[in-house]
Amino acid sequence: MIKTKAELRADIEALELERRSFMEEVRHGTGEFNEEEAKSKLADFDKRRADLEKAFAEIDKPEGGKEGITLTNRDFVEAAKEMRAITIGGNGKINQVQQLFEGIGEKDDILNAVTFDYSDNASTNIPVLEPGLEEPVDTAEGGSSINEDDEAEMKTTEIQVYGLASVLGVTAEALQLNTVDIQSKLPELFRKAFRKKLHTKVLQGSLISNTQKGVKGIWTSAAANTAGITQLAANQTSIKCSDLAGLALKVSGYDETFEIVMNPATYQNVLSDSTSGEDVKLYKEGLIRSKEIEGVKVRLDAKAPKATTAGSILAVAVPLSRFHVGVAGGITITPIKVKGDSKTYFQAEAFVGGKQVSDTDLFSLAVKTSG
């Protein structure tokens, strides 16, 4: 039985949830398996996802069983003359999107931990019950005076995508004389450029001015949740081990898995904490050995902000799986010719947006504000 696109998309999402659940078991040591079994199961997840994505892409293939068109440099030259676009990365829109963002996800990279929502739409709605149901009340047999929950509220958070674009100029000699293999090089060059941009945005991006479009980064959301900010002591511009332990303990009781994200330079200052005591020594040993403190993982990322001015956030505790990135459409590369210019300009475009499900998800450490 041939499945529809909606059914295949549901299968992919279900498989991703299964994979995340398995990774949680591996991380917390609750499953009964050895390292080789874990590697084998992860490889099986990858194969199953690849098969589902291939089936998804097959739906959009033209009739006749064609595998697609092999593009040469001459095709790019002719396309530029005709002012038309060439789409790279497969025949179907979703296949293009996934190929683009598979290039982004690297081992231990923060983009591998957030959640991606693939859609052809300009926005994605995520229902949120916040802050959660109250505890049930004790009820006697036959009781009828049960009050309505007045704490929880059903909300909707919306991810609205915006455009990312990059332009690369290629000389006529490179195209006409075939000195550059445009067909194989351009997609990878643009993937790397888009990866760098999205990586930075997830950490410190802001929405487009006066709109809700774009990527609202982790640091931006943390700053918005003033109730979750713990300020360091006066005149203290670096985190001490006790500060970091306090942040870890604050989130260790939640049912979501939190990670503490910080810049390597900020982390180095933590290790330089000169406070004496056996607890500081043990905390440092744990950080160096396993990048954990009080059972909470510490994730280092060079793109995380590291400013130490008054009010600056130095570290954020966040459940990364609750950061959603919305992706609409695919990456399209359009060759453009300009009158009087022998170069061909290749413009790549993609549409993304992203935010934390709720700003109240985030807790942080910040340099004390002045005054």
Side-chain angles (χ1 to χ4, degrees), residues 117-119 121-126 156-161 324-327:
D117 301 306
Y118 300 101
S119 169
N121 302 315
S123 65
T124 300
N125 287 334
I126 304 172
T156 298
T157 185
E158 183 179 22
I159 297 174
Q160 296 187 39
V161 301
H324 282 248
V325 176
V327 183

Side-chain angles (χ1 to χ4, degrees), residues 238-241 265-275 284:
S238 61
I239 299 171
K240 296 182 181 294
C241 287
T266 305
Y267 174 76
Q268 180 60 47
N269 288 333
V270 175
L271 296 183
S272 300
D273 181 4
S274 59
T275 306
K284 287 183 180 181

Side-chain angles (χ1 to χ4, degrees), residues 165-178:
S166 180
V167 178
L168 174 68
V170 182
T171 65
E173 290 81 2
L175 287 171
Q176 300 285 2
L177 302 180
N178 203 30

Side-chain angles (χ1 to χ4, degrees), residues 66-124:
K66 294 183 180 180
E67 293 297 324
I69 301 173
T70 300
L71 300 174
T72 64
N73 289 346
R74 180 66 61 182
D75 294 316
F76 280 92
V77 175
E78 294 303 318
K81 291 178 180 178
E82 298 171 19
M83 299 295 290
R84 59 184 171 86
I86 296 178
T87 301
I88 305 297
N91 294 309
K93 288 184 178 179
I94 298 299
N95 186 46
Q96 294 161 11
V97 169
Q98 290 172 345
Q99 287 192 28
L100 167 63
F101 286 98
E102 281 177 358
I104 287 174
E106 296 178 350
K107 184 178 180 182
D108 296 328
D109 186 85
I110 199 167
L111 293 175
N112 238 5
V114 301
T115 300
F116 281 81
D117 301 306
Y118 300 101
S119 169
D120 294 333
N121 302 315
S123 65
T124 300

Side-chain angles (χ1 to χ4, degrees), residues 11-12 14-15 18-19 41-54:
D11 287 346
I12 292 173
L15 181 63
E18 184 182 348
R19 185 181 185 278
K41 190 161 185 176
L42 285 174
D44 179 61
F45 278 126
D46 291 339
K47 182 180 183 304
R48 288 162 60 190
R49 180 172 184 120
D51 290 342
L52 287 170
E53 290 175 352
K54 181 179 179 182

